[in-house]
Amino acid sequence: MSKPFYVTTPIYYVNDKPHIGHTYTTVLADVLARHHRMLGEDVYFLTGTDEHGQKIEKTAATRGITPQQLVDEVAPNFENLWKQMGLTVDYFVRTTHAQHKATVQARFTELLAKGDIYKATYKGLYSVSDEAYVTEIQAKEMQAQGLAHQLVELEEESYFFRLASYENWLIQLFEKYPEFVQPEFRLNEVKQFVAPGGERGNLQNLSISRTSITWGIPVPGDEKHVVYVWFDALLNYLSACKDGHWPPTAQLVGKDILRFHAVYWPAFLMAMYRQEGDDLSGEMPARIRELLPKTILAHGWWLMGDTKMSKSLGNIVRPKELLHFGTDAARFFLLRDMHLGHDRAFTFEAFMDRLNADLANGLGNLAARSISMLQRYRSGVVPIPEKMDELDTDVRERLLQVAPEYLKKAADHDFHGALDGLWAFLRHLDGYIVKAEPWKLAKDEVQAAKLDTVLAQLYRALRLTALLAAPVMPELCQQLWESLGLSGRVTDLRFADLDVEAPAPDPVGDPKPLFARIDKEAAMNEIEAIRAEAAPTIAPAVELPLDVSPLKENIDYDTFAKTDLRVGLVLEAEEVPKSKKLIKMKIDLGIEQRTILGGIKEAYAPADLVGRRVVVVANLAPRAMMGIESHGMLLCASDNASKPYLIAPPEDAKPGFIVR
Ligand code: MSP
């Protein structure tokens, strides 16, 4: 039996349309799946959609359809994209599948019987926009940021999961099995979260049901409750697992959802797998570790400049724009340029530069030159090297090292490093050609053996590249494979069968261009056209209903006129450390400069604020937040659920102008 390899992506919310972030994670999972198939493993690749929750319920109501109709309409946005891209997904799970619902209900019942889930009354504050209970510390933070209106007092019955009971085992998991979260610096973040006395204090039990929502999986036997999102969503990995593949080998997640996967998820599983006699305050049995995911692989975010991509900023990169250059090109770029775990700025400029340098030049050019030399000087027949000088021996040694180095990095999930190493080798071969000067060797019969060596080594290097990079660029590598006169599907081969120095079975074919050089200016115009075409539908696939409080009571003019509103110009802006929402700004009010704090970090990056005109409430009494005094407030527009949009006076309004 070959070794199982179970890889998962997060299941995506259906109220968003696919973007570069979803594409990146799913492509990375596909590359891992293909790579491990070529390692001879028994791969199972799972992705899907997360379809329950209040937002879906509300949207369906405004459209006059059922939530089920709505999710059936939008889930294919994801499923079809992966099909169109040729991803080798084995199963597409939806949380509305009967099989998934049955698993969630069965596990819920089981944990209730074991005492890991209990019913209690929650009394406290609830954030309407986050659809979550908030602790006192969080509530204070929100109040300081002027978000008090999003908090409501709540008293409701809820089922809780005893997360706190698993703190000891979780800490042992992180200490003893550091491979559980990769890369390492992301594990440190998780430890911080759980550590007693750490940043967030000890773990608190987790509310896992709601009575205020109906669109969810009913709690068995107590149907006014539905199971709350994370207990529902995380269990997809269990409900859709294929026999013989448990536990997951690599679970890919973005850094924003790492905590759910590295803390809640293993705790749920520990509760399910713990047996009579296991001591939660003692040592975690090794048996439990064996049943938990091997690695949660946390990646960073694709950013626009140093700003988050967001619908409100309209700077989201959509799959169609990426795929304009070909699926394989997009796959190569995403894997080659993202250093796993870190954030990375996306620009079309860098995207096109990478493709031109590495695919049009780089590999494409090397393949075209090498194959046409084989045809010209040896009628396509690949010679056997018999004579090696120092230069050739150096290349031979590198040729023998390339695959082990590539495979080692890939085993560590470092495709950025693996591809970087492979392409460094290809550049070295360009130098080899320049130094060996095959065109001169071809003119001298005495040098025939030397020419044989050069041509054979180039061929071997290309054959090796086609094989190693096939999981990343399956089609492009197949094309190269065929140009090298090789038959069959390169992706059907196994890395273990690789014999770098095996003779070529057949003569090489015609050198087909692998990747046409991109004319950047023309391509940018094409991208703009794709965007313009998509613009009317750039709004979320699911239109969220307006979520506003009722109008306030009337006031007289004099009361209104007491407010002194001014046009301000942002001179400087920086994030307030440790605050999730605050940005500190220096604002020019024409007559003076002020320090003002704004709760807008989630919607704006500091760099994008500098130079903007804003409307300032200028006669508001100063107020300290996070130890900094704010002398005024910026006007924003939003509803209770959306991010704040800054009110922008026209460009020619001077700082200090009175708004009236
Ligand atoms: N439904 C939950 C996941 C439940 S898993 C049991 C969810 N869905 S999501 O659709 O909002 O996000 C899915 C993934 O997209 C997350 O891993 C998130 O990190 C990732 N990304 C969203 N924007 C991103 C970028 N700009 N760049 C890279 N990935 C990002 O969360």
Side-chain angles (χ1 to χ4, degrees), residues 10-13 19 21-22 50 230 237 254 256-257 299 301-302:
I11 47 171
Y12 305 115
Y13 288 130
H19 56 60
H22 307 117
D50 190 354
W230 284 99
Y237 304 128
D256 52 318
I257 56 169
H299 63 74
W301 279 41
W302 285 97

Side-chain angles (χ1 to χ4, degrees), residues 231-418:
F231 192 84
D232 169 359
L234 286 164
L235 263 61
N236 88 83
Y237 304 128
L238 198 62
S239 71
C241 177
K242 184 178 164 191
D243 278 352
H245 282 75
W246 192 261
T249 325
Q251 300 208 269
L252 313 187
V253 299
K255 59 180 187 179
D256 52 318
I257 56 169
L258 174 60
R259 194 207 319 160
F260 304 105
H261 284 81
V263 180
Y264 300 177
W265 174 225
F268 293 159
L269 293 170
M270 286 169 178
M272 288 173 206
Y273 294 125
R274 95 184 150 83
Q275 293 170 357
E276 262 323 290
D278 285 345
D279 179 6
L280 291 178
S281 55
E283 202 172 321
M284 178 179 79
R287 182 191 83 247
I288 297 283
R289 171 62 186 117
E290 298 296 306
L291 291 163
L292 302 177
K294 179 148 186 289
T295 294
I296 308 290
L297 202 57
H299 63 74
W301 279 41
W302 285 97
L303 306 175
M304 270 315 223
D306 47 12
T307 315
K308 216 169 141 176
M309 291 188 195
S310 80
K311 270 179 278 188
S312 54
L313 295 176
N315 63 356
I316 296 182
V317 177
R318 297 288 175 192
K320 200 165 178 199
E321 298 157 26
L322 284 176
L323 299 177
H324 181 63
F325 302 100
T327 305
D328 277 6
R331 293 168 67 100
F332 178 74
F333 171 78
L334 292 173
L335 274 274
R336 169 68 183 80
D337 274 44
M338 179 62 105
H339 194 172
L340 201 95
H342 299 269
D343 288 344
R344 177 89 191 180
F346 178 88
T347 63
F348 277 104
E349 181 80 19
F351 183 25
M352 295 187 285
D353 283 344
R354 168 67 66 204
L355 301 181
N356 278 341
D358 285 5
L359 298 185
N361 295 342
L363 179 60
N365 199 12
L366 183 70
R369 280 172 97 185
S370 307
I371 295 170
S372 53
M373 285 196 288
L374 274 162
Q375 287 184 330
R376 199 171 331 133
Y377 305 138
R378 294 290 180 266
S379 314
V381 178
V382 184
I384 307 280
E386 265 154 13
K387 259 185 150 168
M388 294 229 174
D389 64 17
E390 217 175 296
L391 184 64
D392 304 314
T393 313
D394 166 65
V395 168
R396 176 169 185 247
E397 277 162 14
R398 286 171 195 263
L399 196 52
L400 294 172
Q401 273 164 17
V402 163
E405 279 173 12
Y406 183 97
L407 295 173
K408 161 86 186 58
K409 293 211 167 97
D412 295 337
H413 309 114
D414 176 15
F415 282 91
H416 163 81

